[in-house]
Amino acid sequence: MPLVEIRAVDKAFQRDSERVEIFNALNLDIEEGSFTALMGPSGSGKSTLLNLVAGLDRPTSGSVRVAGAEVSAMSPNQLAPWRARHIGFVFQQLNLLPVLTAWQNVELPLLLTNLSRKERDERIRLALGVVGLEDRMKHFPRQLSGGQEQRVAIARAIVADPTLVLLDEPTGQLDAKSSQDVLALLRRLNDEFRKTIIMVTHDAHAAASARTVLHLEKGQLIERQGAMA
Amino acid sequence: MKYLHLVLANLGRHKRRTLLTIASVALALFLFASLRTVVTTLAAAAQFGSARRLVSTNATGIVFPLPLSYANKLQATPGVEAVSWANWFGGRYGDNKRFFAQFAVDPASYLEMYPEIALPEDQKQAFIRERSSAIIGRRLVDIFGWKLGQDVTIQGTIYPGDWTFTIRGIYTPTDAVINDDMMLFQHEYLEERTGRPGQAGWYVLRIADGDQSASIAQGIDDQIRNSNAATKTGTEQAFNASFATMWGNVSLLMGTIGMAVVFAILLVTANAMMMSARERTREVAVLKTIGFTDRTLFGLVMLEAGLIAGIGAVLGLGGAKLLYKSTNFNAGGFLPGFDVTTSTLLIGAGVTLLLMLASGLVPAVRAARLPVVQALRRVE
Ligand SMILES: Nc1ncnc2c1ncn2[C@@H]1O[C@H](COP(=O)(O)OP(=O)(O)O)[C@@H](O)[C@H]1O
Ligand SMILES: [Mg+2]
């Protein structure tokens, strides 16, 4: 059974008096352990699709299942703890709380668990180690480069060991070198730690890091194999 | 509480703004406590007084004296146990920077009438014995550094000239409502020096049965009506209340203006707190994405508002309580027993709670209800 099953999803937004259809009877399967890049022109609905999977948004009709749970049918009160347990999310920018250190930012998802202080500390150390920022843990976001900020955000997205890691244009604001670091890190998370990853990008080079590349155009998904698969 | 550091981090975001907000809450509550204590102190003064003590004044007005010859008449009235009398002296001491009241009293009967004016027996006897002696309240020792046996010269205004008294006693009131900064000296000394014998400013009477006060007072006034100076007799409580009421109107005005100021400060404060919450839309959306529940976010914002209001309240209310207590404040003798009461502290705590709700509720509800997707789109 696929980890993510999207079935017959319609999504429309009301813009003023106009109804804008984004998806019409969309279907998608994401397998456990996969690394999928989601490409498509701006406004094609990439972020919306990611939001639906994360339970941040609801389909107009149809079903979104993640790890056997009907996300599209959960109440907001059920969704928050479900997200804490299953989803790690990274945005293009401004992921971190500016008043918290890198360490404290990474700790946020763990505050929602029953882990003891000691267990939390171990996990944070491990996550910051994976992204290579053990020496930056006392730094505040403004003391970090854009690439380092994104790596802290990735550490936060994996620290609670979620079922699924979702990234919305994680390298969109980064220079080439930082992008490379982030993409290499994502590859490693997928290869070494078996994390299931869905990454939105409009950069073909970034998409090449993924095993599967999906193109979203006019509400339809077209699959192409990733370059490195 | 594992979220506390989140709230503290948010408070530290704009340190100066946070400190200013806390300071204005503290100031508002300090003002509140001070103004309300003026009111409670005056109210306590108006209520003070034994139902068994009556005060007789000249019916024409308190500034007019009564013949000393009434003492016997009053003493003979059925139901009256004891009689004493006093005069307002109205002198100045030194540069007159610190006013205090002086009274010419009949020592033995006056101290017997007012057991609340407590002093050692030997000092009491010395005061009764020695014509030009005086006793003073404990506070005057603190203010002027006067000592037992010291001569103190007061300039008379109503009774002109230099008046020198030897301090023979220092009293401590057993009831906070009694001024601890009075000077009492012998009525006979006043008469002797002015050569105007036979006048009392007012009489104080003790009656056997407090329930009879109305009829006894009426009886006295009826009996004296046809003499050359009619009396107006009432309970000591009513007598005190008439003074307190005069000040009460002032205090009411002060209180009203003060409360308006307090309210204005609180509004400004609440607004500042709401503004700082509004800057954090993005962060709230991020926390929700991580899996923080609406309830937790509501709680975090409320806790932040509560901390600001709470710290401000502890500083403002606690500061008022400690300051007035430690400096033994009595507004230069006008407000003896000035002390922030428990009820004032409780009402202050209520105001604090309201402030927390007023400033925290709107941003907290907004944070809880924030739609994540829209909030994220706004920035990117
Ligand atoms: N909350 C919303 N309200 C109205 N229109 C929206 C909303 N979210 C997205 N849209 C519209 O849906 C379309 C897809 O948006 P989005 O998923 O952000 O695209 P992408 O991430 O591929 O650029 C866009 O035309 C956008 O304007
Ligand atoms: Mg997008």
Side-chain angles (χ1 to χ4, degrees), chain B residues 85-372:
Chain B
W85 55 93
N87 263 73
W88 172 257
F89 182 69
R92 301 153 156 259
Y93 175 70
D95 55 9
N96 203 35
K97 278 213 182 91
R98 174 57 163 87
F99 164 85
F100 62 93
Q102 309 95 29
F103 296 98
V105 302
D106 181 54
S109 64
Y110 200 80
L111 292 179
E112 203 257 336
M113 184 67 70
Y114 287 102
E116 295 96 334
I117 300 176
L119 74 167
E121 188 57 31
D122 56 327
Q123 297 181 8
K124 191 168 165 179
Q125 291 311 324
F127 176 41
I128 294 171
R129 232 178 10 245
E130 195 176 322
R131 182 58 50 98
S132 63
S133 68
I135 62 172
I136 55 170
R138 165 83 41 204
R139 186 184 291 267
L140 294 181
V141 175
D142 298 337
I143 296 172
F144 300 116
W146 291 343
K147 291 182 188 64
L148 280 179
Q150 182 175 344
D151 283 350
V152 170
T153 302
I154 310 285
Q155 283 84 50
T157 54
I158 305 170
Y159 308 97
D162 279 358
W163 294 69
T164 301
F165 305 102
T166 311
I167 295 169
R168 290 298 178 208
I170 297 166
Y171 73 87
T172 308
T174 55
D175 189 311
V177 164
I178 296 225
N179 273 297
D180 57 358
D181 58 357
M182 299 184 291
M183 172 183 256
L184 306 180
F185 64 90
Q186 287 206 4
H187 192 265
E188 280 187 23
Y189 184 56
L190 179 73
E191 303 229 299
E192 192 179 286
R193 265 202 57 176
T194 54
R196 266 189 279 168
Q199 292 194 324
W202 61 86
Y203 285 95
V204 191
L205 325 169
R206 190 174 65 240
I207 56 176
D209 180 2
D211 292 340
Q212 300 289 315
S213 60
S215 61
I216 293 175
Q218 192 60 51
I220 289 169
D221 291 350
D222 287 347
Q223 181 196 348
I224 293 180
R225 177 149 304 145
N226 299 322
S227 312
N228 48 1
T231 55
K232 181 163 167 281
T233 306
T235 60
E236 178 181 51
Q237 202 169 327
F239 182 69
N240 287 332
S242 69
F243 279 105
T245 311
M246 199 169 77
W247 283 108
N249 291 332
V250 178
S251 84
L252 185 70
L253 182 70
M254 247 168 72
T256 312
I257 296 171
M259 288 309 148
V261 172
V262 169
F263 190 66
I265 296 177
L266 291 183
L267 271 186
V268 171
T269 310
N271 185 53
M273 287 158 83
M274 281 194 214
M275 256 169 50
S276 62
R278 211 166 301 155
E279 294 165 356
R280 284 183 234 150
T281 309
R282 168 84 195 182
E283 290 165 48
V284 170
V286 167
L287 288 171
K288 285 197 178 188
T289 304
I290 290 174
F292 280 68
T293 60
D294 296 354
R295 216 151 121 200
T296 304
L297 287 163
F298 178 89
L300 288 175
V301 177
M302 284 310 275
L303 185 61
E304 190 175 330
L307 272 178
I308 288 189
I311 295 171
V314 167
L315 291 176
L317 298 174
K321 174 85 188 172
L322 289 182
L323 182 77
Y324 295 130
K325 193 134 199 113
S326 67
T327 59
N328 208 4
F329 179 80
N330 76 349
F334 276 105
L335 297 168
F338 194 90
D339 184 27
V340 181
T341 60
T342 308
S343 77
T344 298
L345 293 178
L346 287 178
I347 295 174
V351 171
T352 309
L353 202 67
L354 280 181
L355 171 66
M356 171 181 134
L357 292 178
S359 60
L361 214 48
V362 171
V365 167
R366 192 175 305 174
R369 292 218 185 128
L370 181 80
V372 181

Side-chain angles (χ1 to χ4, degrees), chain A residues 13-15 22 41-49, chain B residues 373-374 377:
Chain A
F13 287 111
Q14 199 68 34
R15 200 180 297 152
I22 312 292
S42 178
S44 57
K46 305 181 295 294
S47 297
T48 303
L49 187 54
Chain B
V373 177
Q374 268 90 317
R377 285 178 63 81

Side-chain angles (χ1 to χ4, degrees), chain A residues 60-207:
Chain A
T60 310
S61 67
S63 121
V64 177
R65 295 175 72 82
V66 176
E70 185 73 43
V71 179
S72 43
M74 285 191 226
S75 72
N77 284 337
Q78 293 170 308
L79 276 170
W82 176 83
R83 246 190 332 266
R85 172 80 197 77
H86 293 284
I87 304 291
F89 209 114
V90 176
F91 303 105
Q92 183 174 351
Q93 57 176 340
L94 301 174
N95 281 286
L96 305 181
L97 269 62
V99 292
L100 300 183
T101 61
W103 176 280
Q104 291 171 323
N105 264 289
V106 174
E107 187 184 28
L108 287 172
L110 300 181
L111 295 178
L112 304 172
T113 66
N114 292 323
L115 295 178
S116 70
R117 166 119 231 174
K118 195 162 157 284
E119 291 167 316
R120 296 208 298 266
D121 288 354
E122 269 165 31
R123 291 233 196 169
I124 299 164
R125 211 174 293 280
L126 191 72
L128 281 171
V130 168
V131 302
L133 288 173
E134 307 96 317
D135 56 338
R136 293 286 190 278
M137 58 196 200
K138 292 249 166 61
H139 287 54
F140 286 93
R142 70 187 131 75
Q143 299 167 315
L144 298 171
S145 71
Q148 289 171 335
E149 269 193 65
Q150 288 304 73
R151 277 147 66 200
V152 173
I154 291 169
R156 184 175 73 194
I158 59 170
V159 74
D161 194 22
T163 311
L164 199 52
V165 178
L166 307 175
L167 306 97
D168 196 346
E169 308 203 26
T171 60
Q173 300 282 317
L174 301 183
D175 58 46
K177 170 72 176 72
S178 302
S179 292
Q180 277 312 317
D181 292 348
V182 166
L183 292 168
L185 172 60
L186 294 175
R187 272 306 287 223
R188 199 175 144 226
L189 288 178
N190 180 242
D191 284 346
E192 206 174 302
F193 297 93
R194 303 267 125 225
K195 292 272 123 198
T196 310
I197 299 174
I198 308 177
M199 172 179 72
V200 166
T201 180
H202 55 231
D203 174 8
H205 180 73

